[in-house]
Amino acid sequence: MRVDLITIFPEYFSPLKLSLFGKAQEAGLVEVKIHDLRSFTIDKHKTVDDAPYGGGPGMVMSAVVWGEAIDAVLKQAKTKPVLVVPTPSGNVFNQEMAIKLASFDHLVFINGRYEGIDSRVVEHYQQSGEFSDVIEVSIGDYVLAGGEVAALVILEATSRLINGVIGNEDSVTDDSFAPGEMQNLLEGPIYTRPPSWQGLDVPEVLLSGDHAKIAQWRKDEALKRTRKFRPELQA
Ligand code: ADE
């Protein structure tokens, strides 16, 4: 998968060098390119924003500058990419969306700051046909200072679903929310050695070696936890 990230803070994406995502890049499973939005400005102050039409607080990011940056990325694309727009006013991100995003060859993230990006940018690329899809996505009902952290969240959830990124494929199918057995369930408690710590013992069943019984216990615990923390998932 190829990932382009456009931002005024390229350093925000330095964690992508680490851990699974870093390894995925080294293995050639993911190729990342980070673009500094300011390099597409044309004035000497490198302005990326302006006052909102209609008044109101804050600043709006310029469609002109974003258009230049996105067109430059599109010129280098081999296949039609998907445009991902992190915004608190998008569809709420979930495992199903991560699975969908992991199936694409090329994602382009546009990461806005301030009050957001001039709405004509999304409208234009929805109409232009240069992207196979334009996805506006929120990572939850709160407002961040910009899209970068949201893009990191989306990329972390997505990249671990790309074939070959995780060594043990089972750990993906056992995840909370994974399709199949774990659909609409939170993962229950997990333990490793020692069998007793601070007076707390690992549940007997997990030491029994009885795989059917263990699977049933895990399912029961997942259901208990889901009813406690996220009852609406079972409704
Ligand atoms: N930008 C600001 N807040 C956001 C959120 N909750 N999700 C995605 N992008 C955002």
Side-chain angles (χ1 to χ4, degrees):
M1 175 189 282
R2 155 100 187 210
V3 180
D4 285 277
L5 299 150
I6 312 173
T7 174
I8 56 167
F9 292 121
E11 296 86 357
Y12 247 106
F13 293 108
S14 34
L16 294 179
K17 295 190 200 97
L18 306 173
S19 186
L20 271 184
F21 202 94
K23 288 202 186 108
Q25 286 180 80
E26 280 167 29
L29 296 167
V30 184
E31 183 194 355
V32 178
K33 256 213 144 138
I34 299 164
H35 310 268
D36 186 347
L37 181 71
R38 288 200 198 275
S39 66
F40 297 95
T41 54
I42 39 168
D43 65 316
K44 72 169 189 238
H45 299 295
K46 298 190 182 293
T47 310
V48 294
D49 59 349
D50 207 336
Y53 274 119
M59 298 290 269
V60 175
M61 295 187 99
S62 157
V64 179
V65 180
W66 275 106
E68 290 291 330
I70 295 167
D71 287 348
V73 167
L74 278 170
K75 271 204 188 107
Q76 293 167 10
K78 294 194 187 92
T79 55
K80 260 192 196 184
V82 171
L83 184 63
V84 185
V85 189
T87 164
S89 42
N91 283 122
V92 179
F93 187 62
N94 59 19
Q95 192 69 11
E96 195 185 327
M97 284 167 87
I99 292 166
K100 182 175 159 192
L101 290 180
S103 73
F104 296 125
D105 291 332
H106 188 178
L107 305 177
V108 177
F109 285 78
I110 58 171
N111 304 287
R113 291 246 134 199
Y114 317 118
E115 294 305 305
I117 301 171
D118 188 314
S119 297
R120 288 172 293 185
V121 171
V122 163
E123 206 179 322
H124 168 67
Y125 291 103
Q126 272 168 345
Q127 291 169 359
S128 79
E130 293 161 288
F131 287 97
S132 65
D133 204 353
V134 177
I135 302 175
E136 295 179 87
V137 46
S138 164
I139 61 162
D141 293 339
Y142 39 81
V143 179
L144 303 166
E148 287 80 3
V149 169
L152 284 172
V153 168
I154 294 164
L155 273 177
E156 181 149 326
T158 300
S159 61
R160 60 191 287 286
L161 301 175
I162 296 171
N163 277 342
V165 170
I166 287 196
N168 183 355
E169 302 289 334
D170 282 351
S171 65
V172 170
T173 47
D174 286 356
D175 283 339
S176 296
F177 312 113
E181 287 270 295
M182 289 304 287
Q183 187 102 52
N184 299 322
L185 282 175
L186 304 181
E187 199 176 340
I190 53 170
Y191 308 90
T192 186
R193 288 187 293 178
S196 185
W197 178 77
Q198 301 280 25
L200 299 169
D201 295 337
V202 172
E204 274 294 327
V205 59
L206 297 180
L207 311 175
S208 70
D210 183 335
H211 297 298
K213 235 164 123 185
I214 292 171
Q216 187 57 52
W217 180 86
R218 287 193 169 137
K219 208 163 170 199
D220 294 345
E221 292 296 320
L223 204 53
K224 264 194 237 166
R225 195 171 170 87
T226 308
R227 287 195 179 121
K228 182 171 173 194
F229 290 112
R230 298 289 303 280
E232 80 281 8
L233 291 177
Q234 290 290 314

